Amino acid sequence: MLQSKTRWITHIDNQMDDIIAEFVQHLNITPLVASLLINRGYRTTQEAKDFLFAQNQDFYDPYLLLNMETAVERIRAAINNKEKILVFGDYDADGVTSTTVMMKTLEEMGAYAEFYIPNRFTEGYGPNEGAFRYAKSIGIDLIITVDTGIAAVHEADVAKELGMDLIITDHHEPGPILPDAYCIIHPKIPGSEYPFGELAGVGVAFKVAHALYGYVPEHLLPFAAIGTIADLVSLTGENRLIAKQGIKKLQQTDNVGLKALLKQMNTEPNAIDEETIGFMIAPRINAVGRLGSADPAVELLMTSDKEMAIELSIEMEETNKERQAIVNQITEEAIAQVEELYPLAENRVLVVGKEGWNAGVVGIVASRLVEKYYRPTIVLSFDQDKQIAKGSARSIAGFDLYKNLSTARDILPHFGGHPMAAGMSLALEDVDLLRQRLNKLAFEQLKEEDLIPLTKVDGSFMLEEVQLKAIEQMQLLAPFGVDNAKPKVILKDMEIAAIRKIGANQNHLKMQLKQGESILDGIGFGLGEWHEHISPSAKVSVLGQLAINEWNNIKKPQIFIQDLMIDKWQLFDYRGALQLETLVAKMPVEDALWIFFHQDSVTSALKSKVSNYKIVETIEEAASFYSKEANVVLADFPTNNEIINKLLSNMTPERIYAVFYKGESDFFSTMPTRDHFKWYYAFLAKQKKFHLEKFGDELAKRKGWSKETIVFMTKVFFELNFVTMEDGFILLNKNTAKRDLTESPSFQQKQAQFALENELIYSSYEQLKNWFDLILKKSVNNEEEVKEWI
């Protein structure tokens, strides 16, 4: 067996053949793609069509958002009255693109507007009193927040006190008390009936722009798509429409800043997709706000000066490289804290922190710790001078961060976020208390199995279904993201046509999977270590993402393997080992139970290397032996067949490592035939007496036998009472009863050893596997009978 690294969560409905046929017929798609749609919840042709061809749909009326009319009237009045407007944004990619969308809209309408993004390190997240008082000092009449503000209860009061109107546009979870602003545009506030509540901050800003223009501002869609994908909101509903149309517009963009950034990344416009945004564009935008001011990112997206755009894109590239180095260092230090201070058995929520950690990147570090330990994680930066800790949190399925952090509002003066991610600040003295509270909640809410990572699976398919056309059509489901993940499929019980390790460090795995006449190449990046844990005859189930491999203008389907499992026991063949001591280091498992059939096999050198071993020398010991060990090494050769049969009948191992070490083999020594015995008997009768020690070598040489063969035949004759020994001479007994050679214990043992070696040592891998299968099948049946009886 081989356990998968994650829990495979499948919601596969196999009773949908009629709907699959309908989708195939009316939507002109393959059965594989039809199955993917069904397993994502689409049940009618119209639902599936709306999802697949979202780009042909219309955006919702922006005035369905509560307070939109009030906001538009106030903004238009400010434009007409030449009032000064401040767009107050946030320092992440969603906040930067939200700021860009609102600024471009206002400027194109002739507004007198400027933007303000707080400094992550000196001001923290969201609106703050100091910034609002600064805005008043420079003559601001109207503040419009984007991607922030829903928690700014105090700041709204400050704005009112200073005589400034405040329009809040945001998408973060509303708290129990809403700010007393001029108006709030938010898809989830009480009283809202907007059809889609999962807009990103830039999505809300885009809806305001839509209302102000009076039509869909398509030239702003690239920014809306970047912020939406970067903020990891649900890529369904209107977000899917924003992302799909936005990517298309981004491929054709004439925005000077975006073109400079794409050139800096060596990215061709027609190659842009959601992964380009998520893994290349967004990290570079985020980097400047993580390490300093986010203003350069907004300036890049706003500028029409090509030279400035080039300079800013180079600056962002360098900043991103610096950010990567800082993240790597902090991650190493955070892992060291977990390993030394916070054992996983006692911590279902990890809370780590240190002075000097860059507060701008702790969210990335938290994500890495979640990936490594699969625990909700908070990473904090300590400010000893101010006695404050600032940080970010990331969670796992089953633990709602926002809900659980809300129970600690008394020690969290500033926090906000979503069920899966949050930001916060608190007093240093309260960090331990927060850890204790969250761990108490986690132990109540998370079971042991919840701490094993989940992988949601879209379908299980036969290899013959994995065709080029099906994989090409899977792109109809793009763009992929939250709630519309890139399809992960299972290929179950595949034969292994070929398997090897590849890469400069041999850390990748390449496999060729076979089912019937169909063959598929698979590659698992970083999975090279599995090579030693997969036996040649195993049938493997793989989980991964289907793709197309194009080389020399030839296209072939392939699968990127992300996880795999083997649900049957496995045999690993280590027969032929010259020394047991050197074999220990080659074993791919450290927790194996070593079984020896001879005390002499367990040398002192071996004892120093193997701590978990058992010596089973007799049938009685084998019969009474019971073990639930998953991995078993059969180290040396058993004395007889019954011992190993008895032993294995009490075990159900997941893996057997067959060594069967034997210093000297009986198999290649001569097994005398009846003609050998007949000639030797006649020889003894003719000689009357024969001295074995003196003349045994000469006789063996004359007959082409080994001396051991003559000694063995003599022993058999002695046991059958055919001969006696006197002063070293062998003498035939007269008038002895006729007896068969098989009555001799030595003859029986020799025959048994000869047959057992043939069966265990010199058999093929498949023959040995079948031999074990027969015994282990009985063991499993016995265990099931006992359970049923109990």
Side-chain angles (χ1 to χ4, degrees):
M1 292 183 180
L2 181 60
Q3 299 297 326
S4 59
K5 293 186 177 181
T6 65
R7 287 179 289 153
W8 299 0
I9 307 301
T10 59
H11 298 286
I12 299 170
D13 195 333
N14 295 318
Q15 309 299 316
M16 295 289 178
D17 290 347
D18 291 344
I19 299 179
I20 289 175
E22 185 180 336
F23 283 6
V24 169
Q25 179 182 354
H26 295 289
L27 299 174
N28 193 29
I29 57 177
T30 61
L32 187 149
V33 174
S35 297
L36 294 177
L37 287 167
I38 289 169
N39 289 323
R40 292 183 182 217
Y42 300 99
R43 292 292 183 270
T44 69
T45 302
Q46 189 60 49
E47 286 176 346
K49 185 177 180 180
D50 289 344
F51 175 77
L52 291 177
F53 308 107
Q55 68 271 20
N56 300 328
Q57 297 175 23
D58 294 325
F59 287 92
Y60 292 124
D61 183 345
Y63 286 97
L64 293 175
L65 280 162
L66 189 67
N67 302 322
M68 183 63 82
E69 188 171 349
T70 303
V72 169
E73 287 179 356
R74 179 65 187 91
I75 294 170
R76 283 180 176 160
I79 295 170
N80 293 334
N81 296 332
K82 307 297 183 184
E83 296 179 67
K84 292 180 71 174
I85 302 174
L86 182 70
V87 177
F88 195 104
D90 188 26
Y91 34 66
D92 66 0
D94 189 14
V96 166
T97 52
S98 299
T99 302
T100 302
V101 164
M102 191 63 71
M103 283 295 296
K104 282 186 173 291
T105 301
L106 294 173
E107 287 188 355
E108 288 169 11
M109 292 188 163
Y112 183 86
E114 55 185 281
F115 71 90
Y116 185 99
I117 295 180
N119 185 287
R120 183 191 293 264
F121 304 99
T122 59
E123 298 175 82
Y125 170 78
N128 61 84
E129 182 175 341
F132 276 23
R133 291 193 180 278
Y134 166 76
K136 180 63 178 179
S137 72
I138 62 172
I140 297 297
D141 300 296
L142 172 64
I143 298 177
I144 304 173
T145 72
V146 288
D147 189 36
T148 188
I150 196 62
V153 176
H154 171 69
E155 289 76 14
D157 293 339
V158 171
K160 183 169 286 189
E161 172 199 324
L162 296 173
M164 295 184 296
D165 287 336
L166 174 64
I167 296 175
I168 293 173
T169 76
D170 200 358
H171 74 119
H172 294 94
E173 291 294 325
I177 301 174
L178 296 180
D180 183 15
Y182 185 87
C183 67
I184 299 174
I185 308 296
H186 192 301
K188 287 185 178 179
I189 58 171
S192 174
E193 297 180 359
Y194 194 69
F196 185 71
E198 303 302 321
L199 291 170
V202 73
V204 180
F206 184 78
K207 300 307 295 186
V208 175
H210 184 177
L212 286 168
Y213 280 105
Y215 57 84
V216 176
E218 294 187 357
H219 65 295
L220 300 178
L221 277 169
F223 311 111
I226 291 170
T228 296
I229 292 170
D231 211 49
L232 300 179
V233 291
S234 176
L235 277 194
T236 57
E238 197 167 25
N239 283 342
R240 177 172 170 79
L241 182 59
I242 289 171
K244 199 155 190 173
Q245 289 197 14
I247 290 172
K248 187 175 181 180
K249 291 291 182 182
L250 185 56
Q251 292 171 344
Q252 306 161 358
T253 187
D254 58 1
N255 179 272
V256 174
L258 284 173
K259 289 175 74 173
L261 189 59
L262 292 171
K263 186 176 182 180
Q264 182 68 37
M265 299 186 310
N266 295 316
T267 300
E268 292 296 325
N270 60 2
I272 295 171
D273 59 13
E274 69 276 11
E275 292 188 353
T276 311
I277 292 172
F279 298 109
M280 298 179 73
I281 296 176
R284 286 164 172 79
I285 293 175
N286 280 327
V288 291
R290 291 186 186 280
L291 300 190
S293 169
D295 289 8
V298 179
E299 290 165 0
L300 175 76
L301 301 181
M302 294 287 295
T303 188
S304 58
D305 185 322
K306 291 184 180 180
E307 293 300 321
M308 180 180 287
I310 292 172
E311 290 179 13
L312 288 169
S313 65
I314 293 173
E315 177 187 337
M316 289 173 67
E317 182 69 25
E318 293 303 316
T319 304
N320 189 49
K321 290 178 180 177
E322 182 184 353
R323 186 270 307 168
Q324 290 171 332
I326 292 172
V327 167
N328 291 339
Q329 180 184 344
I330 296 176
T331 300
E332 289 180 10
E333 295 177 4
I335 289 173
Q337 278 196 21
V338 173
E339 303 290 344
E340 295 169 13
L341 302 175
Y342 308 114
L344 299 183
E346 300 170 14
N347 290 269
R348 290 196 175 172
V349 175
L350 300 176
V351 181
V352 296
K354 185 178 177 182
E355 185 177 11
W357 283 358
N358 189 305
V361 301
V362 290
I364 302 174
V365 177
S367 294
R368 290 195 178 181
L369 264 61
V370 170
E371 186 177 341
K372 180 175 178 63
Y373 297 111
Y374 204 67
R375 300 282 197 283
T377 301
I378 299 175
V379 181
L380 299 165
S381 174
F382 296 163
D383 185 330
Q384 295 290 352
D385 293 335
K386 297 180 180 178
Q387 287 292 293
I388 290 176
K390 293 181 181 179
S392 293
R394 300 292 184 268
S395 196
I396 64 174
F399 192 79
D400 186 322
L401 261 183
Y402 186 83
K403 180 180 177 182
N404 283 290
L405 287 171
S406 294
T407 66
R409 287 180 181 274
D410 58 312
I411 59 173
L412 291 173
H414 299 287
F415 86 96
H418 313 290
M420 298 299 287
M424 72 205 68
S425 65
L426 68 159
L428 271 181
E429 63 182 7
D430 290 329
V431 171
D432 287 340
L433 180 58
L434 180 65
R435 181 184 296 110
Q436 293 168 15
R437 289 189 186 181
L438 291 178
N439 267 296
K440 184 177 184 298
L441 292 168
F443 273 96
E444 293 170 357
Q445 298 171 27
L446 296 173
K447 300 185 292 293
E448 196 69 39
E449 66 179 30
D450 294 328
L451 302 177
I452 301 172
L454 297 170
T455 302
K456 293 184 179 179
V457 181
D458 290 85
S460 179
F461 299 99
M462 303 291 287
L463 216 52
E464 63 184 15
E465 298 178 83
V466 182
Q467 303 294 331
L468 279 175
K469 185 178 180 181
I471 300 174
E472 289 169 343
Q473 285 188 349
M474 279 169 50
Q475 283 304 307
L476 290 170
L477 279 65
F480 301 114
V482 176
D483 295 333
N484 184 43
K486 199 166 189 177
K488 290 183 174 69
V489 303
I490 293 174
L491 303 175
K492 190 172 175 59
D493 292 337
M494 299 287 114
E495 295 178 32
I496 302 172
I499 181 171
R500 61 192 175 97
K501 292 193 286 188
I502 61 172
N505 298 317
Q506 297 287 283
N507 58 334
H508 308 307
L509 185 71
K510 188 165 187 179
M511 302 177 73
Q512 202 170 58
L513 305 171
K514 186 175 185 297
Q515 190 177 53
E517 299 300 313
S518 301
I519 290 180
L520 180 71
D521 288 336
I523 185 164
F525 291 109
L527 304 182
E529 62 178 317
W530 273 346
H531 182 268
E532 283 74 26
H533 300 276
I534 300 173
S535 62
S537 66
K539 285 194 173 181
V540 60
S541 297
V542 303
L543 182 153
Q545 294 179 336
L546 299 174
I548 296 174
N549 180 24
E550 187 170 358
W551 188 73
N552 278 354
N553 295 319
I554 298 174
K555 292 182 176 181
K556 290 174 60 179
Q558 68 177 351
I559 183 168
F560 290 117
I561 300 170
Q562 297 172 334
D563 202 359
L564 58 80
M565 68 176 293
I566 297 169
D567 59 8
K568 300 288 192 302
W569 82 275
Q570 294 190 85
L571 172 64
F572 295 85
D573 193 349
Y574 282 79
R575 292 175 296 177
L578 297 179
Q579 286 186 317
L580 288 177
E581 290 83 357
T582 58
L583 185 65
V584 178
K586 296 181 181 179
M587 284 289 170
V589 290
E590 298 178 356
D591 58 344
L593 170 64
W594 286 63
I595 293 177
F596 296 92
F597 298 99
H598 302 275
Q599 178 79 47
D600 294 344
S601 297
V602 190
T603 63
S604 57
L606 199 57
K607 284 182 181 180
S608 67
K609 296 179 179 181
V610 177
S611 57
N612 187 18
Y613 68 89
K614 182 75 176 178
I615 299 171
V616 181
E617 292 189 299
T618 66
I619 293 174
E620 290 74 23
E621 287 175 337
S624 62
F625 182 77
Y626 180 75
S627 172
K628 287 189 175 182
E629 294 283 351
N631 305 312
V632 174
V633 179
L634 298 177
D636 57 352
F637 194 76
T639 51
N640 60 62
N641 194 309
E642 191 174 353
I643 283 182
I644 193 167
N645 269 279
K646 286 284 187 186
L647 182 79
L648 292 175
S649 65
N650 290 333
M651 302 173 68
T652 53
E654 295 180 4
R655 303 184 197 178
I656 293 177
Y657 296 85
V659 182
F660 295 132
Y661 175 79
K662 197 171 193 293
E664 294 181 0
S665 173
D666 289 312
F667 190 78
F668 291 107
S669 63
T670 303
M671 178 64 183
T673 65
R674 291 184 182 274
D675 286 339
H676 286 84
F677 281 99
K678 186 177 179 182
W679 184 93
Y680 187 43
Y681 188 89
F683 171 79
L684 292 176
K686 184 178 179 181
Q687 294 291 323
K688 304 300 182 182
K689 63 180 180 177
F690 177 70
H691 201 290
L692 184 61
E693 285 301 315
K694 289 182 179 180
F695 304 110
D697 289 330
E698 183 181 337
L699 178 63
K701 185 176 181 181
R702 189 174 80 179
K703 293 296 295 180
W705 298 343
S706 67
K707 185 176 180 182
E708 287 75 16
T709 299
I710 298 173
V711 171
F712 170 70
M713 289 192 294
T714 303
K715 188 176 182 182
V716 170
F717 283 165
F718 184 80
E719 290 175 349
L720 296 176
N721 202 31
F722 290 170
V723 299
T724 57
M725 300 287 292
E726 289 183 10
D727 300 326
F729 286 95
I730 304 171
L731 305 171
L732 277 180
N733 291 330
K734 297 179 180 179
N735 302 321
T736 55
K738 187 175 182 180
R739 299 177 67 184
D740 194 89
L741 293 172
T742 56
E743 295 181 52
S744 160
S746 294
F747 188 87
Q748 293 173 9
Q749 186 178 4
K750 181 87 168 178
Q751 271 195 325
Q753 284 284 297
F754 192 83
L756 193 58
E757 279 194 44
N758 186 41
E759 206 161 44
L760 298 186
I761 298 180
Y762 301 108
S763 56
S764 69
Y765 176 91
E766 288 300 328
Q767 289 171 329
L768 184 63
K769 176 75 163 52
N770 292 335
W771 187 84
F772 276 118
D773 272 331
L774 289 173
I775 299 174
L776 292 175
K777 187 176 181 181
K778 293 177 184 177
S779 171
V780 171
N781 290 340
N782 290 341
E783 188 171 292
E784 289 176 352
E785 286 176 11
V786 170
K787 288 180 180 177
E788 188 176 335
W789 180 79
I790 292 174

